[in-house]
Amino acid sequence: GESVGLHLPTLSVQEGDNSIINCAYSNSASDYFIWYKQESGKGPQFIIDIRSNMDKRQGQRVTVLLNKTVKHLSLQIAATQPGDSAVYFCAEKGGTGQFYFGTGTSLTVIP
Amino acid sequence: DAGVIQSPRHEVTEMGQEVTLRCKPISGHNSLFWYRQTMMRGLELLIYFNNNVPIDDSGMPEDRFSAKMPNASFSTLKIQPSEPRDSAVYFCASSLGQGQQPQHFGDGTRLSIL
């Protein structure tokens, strides 16, 4: 029979362009958020995090923006490279220290 | 420094068999998480330990699944008896504190139940 899986949002960008990956979270009381990158055959890898007392945080080529009003998180990758191709997950902290992960966005960088 | 170490990396076994997955967290981390990842359901939290004590096991699918953390450097996830629908990639992650620091993941165990 037909197999039905999660519909993973996809994003294709040209090498050198900037990428923006979006995430909506559910709990307005969440105070800590993390972005992960998962390459094929590997576990999720920490990219950047942000706490609710901040709106923006920058790392190396990555920026995370947090809009608490609309419960929205975004990850911006500058000058996207082929090695950035992966699935990207956002995670929000739950009430007892666990984290809840989104469904992920698949990023493909076109050389 | 070594990251989270999981074993085995791959496991293929017949339904009805007992399966034991192992995890060594990063030294000094006091929170440990077991996740399951499938195409159907994405990344699901199964159980979460803090200081070797289970804090949230609401994600454990059913009684066939059990997890233990006998000490700060070792945890097991056991499935008995295994079923084909348990086929998935199982990840272990560890972190410092209780939700204040990011989790670090192992490379997972790819489990296939025939």
Side-chain angles (χ1 to χ4, degrees), chain A residues 4 6 36 38 51 96 98, chain B residues 37 39-40 48 56 100:
Chain A
V4 178
L6 288 174
Y36 287 91
Q38 187 177 23
R51 302 186 193 275
T96 56
Q98 74 279 60
Chain B
Q37 188 173 42
M39 287 298 294
M40 292 289 290
Y48 152 46
D56 182 355
Q100 299 92 354

Side-chain angles (χ1 to χ4, degrees), chain B residues 99-110:
Chain B
Q100 299 92 354
Q101 296 293 329
Q103 300 171 343
H104 297 265
F105 283 76
D107 281 336
T109 295
R110 182 172 293 276

Side-chain angles (χ1 to χ4, degrees), chain A residues 21-89:
Chain A
I21 300 171
N22 297 303
C23 176
Y25 62 93
S26 57
N27 186 357
S28 58
S30 293
D31 62 1
Y32 184 43
F33 305 88
I34 305 175
W35 278 101
Y36 287 91
K37 171 187 181 184
Q38 187 177 23
E39 296 174 286
S40 181
K42 295 188 176 180
Q45 178 184 14
F46 169 79
I47 301 173
I48 191 167
D49 57 2
I50 188 167
R51 302 186 193 275
S52 59
N53 60 350
M54 302 175 70
D55 296 324
K56 178 180 179 178
R57 189 158 189 233
Q58 287 185 289
Q60 189 175 19
R61 283 200 307 119
V62 294
T63 301
V64 55
L65 299 178
L66 175 61
N67 185 331
K68 293 181 285 294
T69 302
V70 294
K71 294 188 288 186
H72 183 268
L73 203 61
S74 69
L75 177 70
Q76 300 177 3
I77 305 174
T80 314
Q81 302 168 1
D84 295 327
S85 294
V87 176
Y88 290 80
F89 294 94

Side-chain angles (χ1 to χ4, degrees), chain A residues 5-25:
Chain A
L6 288 174
H7 177 66
L8 207 62
T10 59
L11 176 66
S12 295
V13 298
Q14 288 290 141
E15 181 178 358
D17 287 351
N18 296 334
S19 303
I20 299 177
I21 300 171
N22 297 303
C23 176
Y25 62 93

